Amino acid sequence: MASRAWVKERLSLLESESPPRGPALLIYHRVGAGSRDELDVSLSQFRQQLSALERHDVLPLDTALDRVEARDDRASVVLTFDDGFADVYENAWPLLRERRLPFTLYLATAFMGRRMQWEGSTAQGPHGEGMTWSQIEELVESGLCTIGNHTHNHLRPEVLTVEDIDECTETVERHLGVSPRHFTYPWGIPVPELEPDLARRFRSSSTGVLGRNDPQTHSMRLRRVPVRHSDPIEFFEAKLTGRLRAERLYAGLVAGAKMPARLSRLLPGRAG
């Protein structure tokens, strides 16, 4: 398979299916950490992306949801950062502050001030610490940062509990004096049986399901759009203008490329 960036650049030339409607919630994890992980966007990429965002309406999450609830489907962008890695504070925050761009920070609160380590974590290489609570307090006091709940222990969906979600909220309240009004699932995988509990606790819950959000979107099933290291700027800009077909086709190519290896593990000696 050709390089990921080359494939994405070609896919970004696809025409939009329709004009963009509603907010696109962009998912970031790490910025400028220098790891090889796909979820670690380089600092130069992030600068380019912020320049591209100057042509778009970047809103706080609550403002975007106010529009959706008012059945206002104008296109907008919401910046979201999952987990709470210190490199987001060190590298992304100065640029967001300079441009006065609002963003949501979904915290996995067990890992603040220490290594962000769980199964599948992007905490690779010499870095990978969580922000300190004093750093997070600085973000909140700026008025630009909305704090969200990303569970306390970043649990997999099959073991996720209301108790762990509540522990995250209680930890945020204890350290920051604010209560998270928004939740996002670890791994992006929704747990339908938890939805009634989430609806009692939060204004919104977001998933890893790809898509924008319009007045028909359920507030407990918000869709989001990932941003990855292999995204050339053309592919990133396509996400902003509603051309998510490229993202879907790329996901299909990746899944197809991985299928032989999966079959080999499932059916040893029969795949290939």
Side-chain angles (χ1 to χ4, degrees), residues 241-269:
T241 55
R243 287 175 288 166
L244 296 179
R245 182 168 55 169
E247 181 78 44
R248 293 188 180 96
L249 287 172
Y250 177 75
L253 288 172
V254 170
K258 290 179 177 178
M259 186 57 69
R262 289 174 180 166
L263 286 175
S264 180
R265 289 195 297 270
L266 292 171
L267 303 170

Side-chain angles (χ1 to χ4, degrees), residues 22-23 61-74 76 203 213-219 222:
L61 179 54
D62 278 297
T63 304
L65 293 178
D66 288 344
R67 280 192 185 181
V68 170
E69 291 175 3
R71 308 195 70 76
D72 180 345
D73 65 357
R74 283 178 293 169
S76 63
R203 181 181 186 185
N213 300 279
D214 58 33
Q216 283 69 52
T217 305
H218 195 293
S219 63
L222 296 183

Side-chain angles (χ1 to χ4, degrees), residues 114-126:
R114 67 184 185 90
R115 193 162 181 79
M116 307 281 278
Q117 197 66 55
W118 54 82
E119 182 187 353
S121 169
T122 61
Q124 301 176 14

Side-chain angles (χ1 to χ4, degrees), residues 43 138 140 230 236 247 268:
L43 189 52
E138 177 186 332
V140 172
S230 61
F236 176 81
E247 181 78 44

Side-chain angles (χ1 to χ4, degrees), residues 10-87:
R10 303 281 80 75
L11 289 174
S12 69
L13 300 176
L14 293 171
E15 293 295 325
S16 177
E17 308 96 305
S18 59
R21 298 175 59 219
L25 276 58
L26 300 185
I27 313 172
Y28 287 92
H29 289 79
R30 307 192 66 184
V31 178
S35 76
R36 298 172 63 86
D37 196 281
E38 262 284 77
L39 301 182
D40 182 2
V41 176
S42 73
L43 189 52
S44 61
Q45 283 179 297
F46 191 65
R47 285 197 182 98
Q48 266 194 311
Q49 291 164 1
L50 293 188
S51 295
L53 284 168
E54 291 176 358
R55 300 184 292 276
H56 297 268
D57 198 4
V58 181
L59 300 178
L61 179 54
D62 278 297
T63 304
L65 293 178
D66 288 344
R67 280 192 185 181
V68 170
E69 291 175 3
R71 308 195 70 76
D72 180 345
D73 65 357
R74 283 178 293 169
S76 63
V77 177
V78 177
L79 303 178
T80 72
F81 296 83
D82 284 8
D83 304 328
F85 280 96
D87 50 73

